[in-house]
Amino acid sequence: MRRLKPVKSSSKKTQAKEHAKLPIVCDVDMLRSLIRKKAVRVVDVRKAEDYQAGHIPTAVSLPLARLLADDKPETVVELLQELGITEEMPVVVYDDTFGALAARVAWTFQYVGHPNTALLETTFKQWKELGLETETKARTYPKTKHPLNVNKDMYADAGYVEAAQSQQGKLLVDSRERLNFLTEHIPTAKNIPYTMLGANGNILRKAEELKRMIENRGISPDAEIITYCGSVGTLSGLAYYALKMAGYQNVKLYPKSFKEWKSLGKPKEEFKEANYWDLSAE
Amino acid sequence: MGKSRVSAVNPKQKGKYAPKPASKWGREEETEFFANRVKLFRQGKISEDDFRRFRLQNGAYGSRLHAGYSMVRIKVPGGEMTPEQLEKIASLSEAFSIGSAHVSTRQNIQLHWVQLEDVSEVMRGLVDVGLTTREACGNTVRNVMCSHFAGVCPDEAFDATPYSKAIARFLLRNPMCQNLPRKFKINFACCEKHGLVRVADIGLVPTIKEENGKQVQGFRIYLGGGLGAASFIGHLLEDFTPEDRVLSTCMATVRLFDRHGNRENMARNRMRYLVHETGWEKFQKMVLKERIAVEMTTATATAKMYDVKSEEDTRQLPKAPRMTKLPMLNEHVNRDSPAYERWLHTNVVPQKQEGYFTVFITLGAGDITASQLRVLASAIRDFSTEGVARNTPQQNFAIRYVRGTELSEFYGRLATAGLANPGALTIASAVGCSGTTSCNLAITNSHRLAKEVQRKFLELGLDTDDSLKNSTIKVSGCPNSCGQHEIATIGFFGGASRIGGAMSPTYTMLFGGSAGENGELGKAVMRVPAKRVIDTILKIVEIYRNERAENENLDQWIGRIVRGQGTASIKNLEDIKNALSSVIQLPPQEQDPDAYMDYGSDAKFTAKTARGECAA
Ligand code: SF4
């Protein structure tokens, strides 16, 4: 059972003067305290109707599909402004899909120039199971100004991935499930399925656990790692943050992932020597 | 803001029944050690052969034609598992395997396609819940089996479960079995009907003998049996082995095998060959003599490490409530009967404890998803007074100590997760080894075939035909017999044959095998193309229905045919071969290319195998 700090009654007047600097993952206590201080923008990336049915207090709604419809950096910055996010403001993103959707949104925010973005440590379902407060009121905030400041270091496209395949010290990580990976993947990729990243209700394991699991794979701490998954960079978005948690500094996301790779007709590695799909009990 | 939080609740509800404390088999330090060995191996600091031996000793097989992956075999001594263990295996299968787990024919749980680098993480998780993979593969004493009916079987002399665990504990990590000539298997039965005692290196059937007016517990011990490319039925060592000589008998047998077993020829190094080549009478004398030596030389402290008492379940389970109306286990059902009645008839048996029932969970060739494991775990907490599951050599789960009054509620819970399929105790519950889904030695996809047989038979309602109930279908993907095809009423092992010039997956069909204390090995009948196996079995059932003597079950009829004692148009195996010859015909390959492919494949069939690790 997890322990929660008691809620202190918060004074309405306390306004955050200095913005808190968020870690990669924001825990429940920290978020609740920031909400009380009105010092955070909480972003709910579930479907609009789920948001309407109840969400974390003060959260705004940004369904992932809306962001993906046009994720050009200029458009994303407009979204930030529309959600009332200022340049330094802490932003915490959550979903109901083990953190993968939240990760894709958080990564995009950071990519366009909002580094002070974090993932909530749990999903909305767990938030409710913990008996924490929710509200149904739809929130909007006054429009803000937010600069565009693209961080190219976080991003990889197909050309970059292709070049990385043969470069020393660069490593591709496929974060799809094992059977999908076995079936086909980008040549040279290693498999770190998203399923191994979270545990016990947390979207990501503890940093030292992640570190141990990745080190077991013999991946050197100063490697450059590019993550990808099946289609839009959600599962690999989560892997991106897992690697960051584990202490890897140089991580990139290939958001268009395997779907684009295949549509470009690029080579794949396949494994057809075993009928592993027949082990699945589905 | 919404309602303020009152208190944090624990989302995981524990059930009505207190859990049985899990036995501790695993050790934390072994997981670290494994992780380090993998690193050293990857850095080229350990030779491939040394690493393979080490890996197998610790329960990780190489996966089919892909050395980067392992099949992790979790030992489950006696087959007994707590809900916590089931839940842990669920999480581990999601995190590091393929999201499902697999019940083997020797009461292990297997996780497939685990990346070698993650094996230590799986082990770490297992240690948390008391489990181990240590000595699950390699030249060691493998998982010690015990009949899943032990403790509840109406025909048993006494509960063999604590004995099976005590011997498992004594031999695990024991220096005397760290480098045997080959693997070594020990199976306990509950009674003469259930259990696999004649096809193990050591098989034990509990029995009670009167000695000087006193009831003495003991066993009938069989030695030198085993299934494989060449199989043997075990020999009875002596009429009665009192319980205080069980340890010395086992130690003597292991020591003889260690000393005299064939370490040169890998194909003939199981103990059954030693027994065969030595001759039973001579071997028997050697064991009896060695046992005296063991008894004279074993230190008391050593002998004390075999501690049956400490393995006993000392809880007093409550009596089940009296039932005014018994469940309809014995009523006749058919394909159109209500699902619940059909399930009662084919999946539930009464225990010797009045009012309690053992419920079987029908799995497809032993496969169960992570979410099903979780539902099963919570259902056990709520409905099994005993609070544990046992996995079975038929690749199902047995949940015991369910109150008759709660059967329908239990059924409802299982049904929410697709765990209430009928047919577990019938011919429909076909057994299949892993075959080409993960095994290096496999020629055919036996795993999928077994699932297809089950699906078809349930669809046709063959599980409701009581004359087929005692018959079994078991499928192996190669002659090695992990699918136990030789003790099936109708068994199959995979191979490759040219049919009309095309390489095709085929199975050799065997008739008349059986388990239990009077178990017999099946006799090879003929080869059947993979895609004709189901039609062939259905044809056999049809012939049987036309030819049977009154009240004769399928297995009895098949037994008669094997002995050449058929009384109607089919007299012997030759006749059945002829009668089936048209069913096994394939149309020309151009007309039906699919008929020449294996299950689960849309490519031309080729038999590909790699080095087996059973003997490494
Ligand atoms: S019987 Fe053959 S194919 Fe099946 S698991 Fe054993 S070795 Fe593999």
Side-chain angles (χ1 to χ4, degrees):
Chain A
M1 201 187 293
R2 52 177 309 144
R3 265 174 298 140
L4 293 158
K5 292 185 194 139
V7 186
K8 284 193 215 100
S9 64
S10 63
S11 137
K12 285 255 158 66
K13 287 173 289 182
T14 35
Q15 281 289 340
K17 301 212 171 57
E18 258 177 57
H19 287 294
K21 177 93 181 63
L22 292 174
I24 295 167
V25 167
C26 173
D27 68 35
V28 166
D29 291 328
M30 182 179 201
L31 178 61
R32 294 174 71 228
S33 136
L34 287 170
I35 292 173
R36 279 195 307 276
K37 291 190 220 142
K38 295 192 167 51
V40 64
R41 181 69 67 247
V42 187
V43 179
D44 180 320
V45 305
R46 299 173 302 148
K47 292 200 193 82
E49 59 264 36
D50 294 339
Y51 172 82
Q52 280 150 22
H55 53 82
I56 293 179
T58 77
V60 290
S61 170
L62 172 62
L64 175 70
R66 193 169 160 220
L67 177 121
L68 291 180
D70 177 2
D71 66 348
K72 276 198 296 299
E74 301 73 29
T75 322
V76 175
V77 165
E78 275 168 35
L79 282 175
L80 290 174
Q81 300 181 8
E82 181 193 316
L83 299 176
I85 295 171
T86 56
E87 188 176 359
E88 305 282 317
M89 182 187 277
V91 172
V92 175
V93 191
Y94 72 90
D95 66 14
D96 227 349
T97 320
F98 53 84
L101 309 192
R104 177 63 165 86
V105 172
W107 177 87
T108 311
F109 284 3
Q110 293 188 317
Y111 174 58
V112 303
H114 196 88
N116 201 13
T117 307
L119 304 172
L120 178 60
E121 65 171 336
T122 69
T123 61
F124 183 65
K125 181 164 167 266
Q126 284 141 4
W127 177 276
K128 276 199 307 191
E129 278 170 3
L130 290 167
L132 300 177
E133 49 287 84
T134 62
E135 63 174 21
T136 51
K137 185 176 168 195
R139 298 279 187 163
T140 52
Y141 297 94
K143 204 166 166 179
T144 50
K145 274 252 161 285
H146 195 293
L148 173 65
N149 196 359
V150 175
N151 181 357
K152 278 280 174 208
D153 287 348
M154 299 170 59
Y155 175 84
D157 60 14
Y160 190 91
V161 169
E162 200 157 30
Q165 283 180 300
S166 57
Q167 284 162 1
Q168 274 276 315
K170 294 192 183 184
L171 184 75
L172 273 172
V173 163
D174 185 320
S175 49
R176 294 172 304 149
E177 287 179 51
R178 179 63 31 84
L179 292 184
N180 294 309
F181 176 81
L182 282 173
T183 306
E184 49 178 19
H185 56 259
I186 299 180
T188 76
K190 283 196 193 285
N191 188 207
I192 301 185
Y194 71 90
T195 51
M196 65 188 263
L197 304 175
N200 303 327
N202 285 333
I203 62 165
L204 291 174
R205 291 175 191 261
K206 290 194 203 78
E208 63 270 20
E209 248 175 90
L210 290 167
K211 190 162 180 289
R212 188 184 68 223
M213 292 187 333
I214 295 163
E215 276 178 3
N216 278 347
R217 283 168 156 67
I219 299 176
S220 103
D222 47 8
E224 174 186 320
I225 305 177
I226 306 159
T227 67
Y228 77 90
C229 55
S231 62
V232 293
T234 47
L235 307 180
S236 47
L238 192 61
Y240 172 92
Y241 285 108
L243 288 160
K244 286 271 178 187
M245 284 271 281
Y248 287 82
Q249 300 297 326
N250 195 357
V251 190
K252 291 178 166 45
L253 176 69
Y254 171 28
K256 298 225 160 62
S257 282
F258 198 44
K259 191 171 172 194
E260 182 195 65
W261 185 267
K262 282 196 289 188
S263 73
L264 295 171
K266 301 217 180 275
K268 298 178 295 183
E269 202 162 294
E270 298 178 341
F271 179 61
K272 293 183 168 172
E273 309 288 10
N275 303 102
Y276 35 85
W277 283 101
D278 288 331
L279 284 165
S280 154
E282 303 284 359
Chain B
M1 229 177 234
K3 258 205 300 174
S4 81
R5 180 183 59 95
V6 189
S7 69
V9 291
N10 184 350
K12 196 193 273 175
Q13 272 226 312
K14 296 290 173 201
K16 290 192 281 195
Y17 298 115
K20 186 173 181 174
S23 306
K24 291 263 168 283
W25 304 97
R27 283 186 189 169
E28 173 90 40
E29 64 271 21
E30 289 176 350
T31 73
E32 298 273 339
F33 193 65
F34 193 93
N36 286 330
R37 299 299 280 189
V38 172
K39 279 185 200 151
L40 291 175
F41 168 61
R42 287 296 195 215
Q43 292 160 9
K45 292 179 186 152
I46 311 178
S47 78
E48 188 140 359
D49 277 350
D50 284 351
F51 180 71
R52 183 188 301 113
R53 267 183 49 83
F54 166 78
R55 165 165 62 70
L56 291 167
Q57 194 89 353
N58 286 280
Y61 262 108
S63 295
R64 179 172 175 78
L65 300 163
H66 209 325
Y69 294 94
S70 293
M71 181 268 275
V72 177
R73 181 177 285 160
I74 304 161
K75 262 184 156 176
V76 187
E80 194 176 83
M81 309 185 74
T82 66
E84 288 69 28
Q85 291 174 338
L86 296 173
E87 283 166 343
K88 177 59 87 175
I89 288 170
S91 326
L92 294 173
S93 80
E94 279 174 335
F96 304 107
S97 174
I98 62 168
S100 43
H102 310 270
V103 178
S104 87
T105 53
R106 291 204 74 256
Q107 293 182 310
N108 300 290
I109 301 284
Q110 302 182 163
L111 297 179
H112 290 282
W113 297 100
V114 176
Q115 196 168 316
L116 180 57
E117 282 75 8
D118 291 336
V119 171
S120 55
E121 291 297 317
V122 172
M123 291 174 169
R124 195 181 287 271
L126 294 172
V127 170
D128 285 348
V129 291
L131 290 167
T132 190
T133 59
R134 167 108 192 189
E135 292 159 47
C137 317
N139 297 331
T140 59
V141 176
R142 303 294 186 84
N143 190 36
V144 175
M145 295 181 73
C146 183
S147 164
H148 46 273
F149 285 118
V152 303
C153 175
D155 301 325
E156 72 183 0
F158 57 90
D159 183 1
T161 311
Y163 296 84
S164 68
K165 289 189 181 175
I167 205 74
R169 196 174 297 287
F170 181 85
L171 295 174
L172 182 68
R173 301 187 182 88
N174 190 318
M176 74 183 283
C177 15
Q178 295 310 296
N179 188 23
L180 296 173
R182 188 79 147 89
K183 58 187 169 183
F184 195 88
K185 297 177 178 176
I186 303 178
N187 296 351
F188 281 80
C190 50
C191 65
E192 60 182 73
K193 238 176 43 220
H194 306 119
L196 304 172
V197 289
R198 296 297 292 278
V199 289
D201 293 291
I202 304 180
L204 305 94
V205 187
T207 179
I208 288 179
K209 194 181 167 193
E210 271 226 17
E211 268 176 6
N212 311 326
K214 257 184 72 191
Q215 304 260 314
V216 182
Q217 292 196 167
F219 293 86
R220 287 191 295 280
I221 297 185
Y222 293 88
L223 300 179
L227 300 177
S231 303
F232 293 97
I233 286 286
H235 303 269
L236 182 64
L237 177 67
E238 57 199 346
D239 288 341
F240 181 79
T241 308
E243 61 171 324
D244 56 13
R245 300 191 84 178
V246 165
L247 176 66
S248 54
T249 310
C250 290
M251 284 175 74
T253 310
V254 171
R255 269 165 56 158
L256 280 176
F257 175 50
D258 194 29
R259 241 178 10 246
H260 301 290
N262 188 336
R263 284 175 205 263
E264 251 90 80
N265 181 356
M266 288 216 300
R268 296 185 72 78
N269 54 9
R270 290 291 304 275
M271 192 180 80
R272 57 178 185 270
Y273 295 106
L274 175 65
V275 174
H276 187 70
E277 280 151 21
T278 313
W280 168 243
E281 267 158 36
K282 188 166 168 212
F283 188 81
Q284 184 181 29
K285 284 203 190 85
M286 285 161 70
V287 173
L288 296 176
K289 201 168 143 212
E290 183 76 12
R291 180 168 69 186
I292 294 170
V294 167
E295 284 167 351
M296 288 193 311
T297 55
T298 303
T300 321
T302 308
K304 272 194 178 149
M305 285 158 63
Y306 169 74
D307 186 358
V308 177
K309 273 268 166 295
S310 73
E311 305 290 348
E312 277 170 8
D313 186 358
T314 51
R315 299 174 301 168
Q316 283 291 328
L317 299 180
K319 281 203 161 52
R322 277 197 162 279
M323 300 183 74
T324 43
K325 188 171 174 294
L326 287 171
M328 319 197 315
L329 302 186
N330 300 318
E331 312 247 315
H332 190 71
V333 293
N334 59 45
R335 195 162 63 128
D336 305 316
S337 300
Y340 173 59
E341 284 172 25
R342 183 167 162 186
W343 175 82
L344 273 182
H345 187 69
T346 61
N347 286 42
V348 180
V349 290
Q351 296 181 186
K352 69 178 174 193
Q353 294 83 0
E354 201 192 332
Y356 276 122
F357 293 82
T358 296
V359 171
F360 287 80
I361 313 294
T362 315
L363 303 179
D367 294 348
I368 184 163
T369 64
S371 39
Q372 286 177 326
L373 279 168
R374 293 194 180 100
V375 173
L376 187 60
S378 93
I380 289 166
R381 289 194 184 100
D382 286 347
F383 293 97
S384 164
T385 312
E386 182 186 42
V388 287
R390 294 227 190 173
N391 68 53
T392 81
Q394 291 75 36
Q395 299 178 300
N396 296 319
F397 278 105
I399 313 301
R400 321 183 322 164
Y401 283 92
V402 178
R403 294 161 184 226
T405 45
E406 294 183 342
L407 281 169
S408 81
E409 214 189 316
F410 188 41
Y411 171 83
R413 177 79 73 84
L414 295 173
T416 61
L419 289 170
N421 285 332
L425 296 167
T426 73
I427 191 170
S429 184
V431 162
C433 70
S434 13
T436 51
T437 64
S438 88
C439 170
N440 257 332
L441 292 168
I443 304 167
T444 56
N445 191 346
S446 45
H447 194 75
R448 172 75 176 269
L449 176 56
K451 293 210 254 193
E452 294 290 337
V453 169
Q454 185 191 61
R455 201 182 48 77
K456 187 72 187 175
F457 282 24
L458 290 181
E459 184 189 306
L460 295 173
L462 292 185
D463 57 308
T464 64
D465 182 340
D466 290 342
S467 68
L468 309 178
K469 205 170 173 174
N470 294 330
S471 298
T472 52
I473 310 261
K474 298 179 197 279
V475 193
S476 301
C478 81
N480 279 320
S481 226
C482 306
Q484 301 177 340
H485 57 264
E486 284 171 295
I487 53 168
T489 314
I490 309 177
F492 296 90
F493 72 86
S497 316
R498 242 168 228 299
I499 302 180
M503 244 333 171
S504 324
T506 54
Y507 285 90
T508 299
M509 178 168 71
L510 296 90
F511 263 18
S514 59
E517 201 173 351
N518 301 310
E520 284 181 61
L521 298 177
K523 305 274 175 309
V525 183
M526 65 200 291
R527 285 198 177 203
V528 182
K531 290 281 169 71
R532 288 290 178 273
V533 165
I534 292 176
D535 290 342
T536 301
I537 307 172
L538 293 177
K539 183 73 186 174
I540 293 166
V541 170
E542 185 192 312
I543 298 173
Y544 149 73
R545 281 172 173 164
N546 292 329
E547 302 241 331
R548 67 177 145 195
E550 219 180 320
N551 290 331
E552 188 179 38
N553 291 335
L554 175 64
D555 54 322
Q556 295 165 327
W557 179 78
I558 284 186
R560 254 191 325 122
I561 303 303
V562 169
R563 294 190 300 274
Q565 294 167 354
T567 43
S569 68
I570 307 287
K571 306 244 176 327
N572 50 39
L573 291 178
E574 239 1 86
D575 291 346
I576 194 87
K577 245 159 105 170
N578 292 332
L580 295 171
S581 62
S582 60
V583 189
I584 64 163
Q585 289 310 318
L586 295 183
Q589 199 182 14
E590 315 78 72
Q591 264 174 45
D592 188 0
D594 184 68
Y596 292 77
M597 295 169 187
D598 200 358
Y599 279 101
S601 166
D602 50 12
K604 242 197 179 142
F605 176 76
T606 49
K608 243 189 222 167
T609 57
R611 172 175 175 177
E613 298 197 328
C614 308

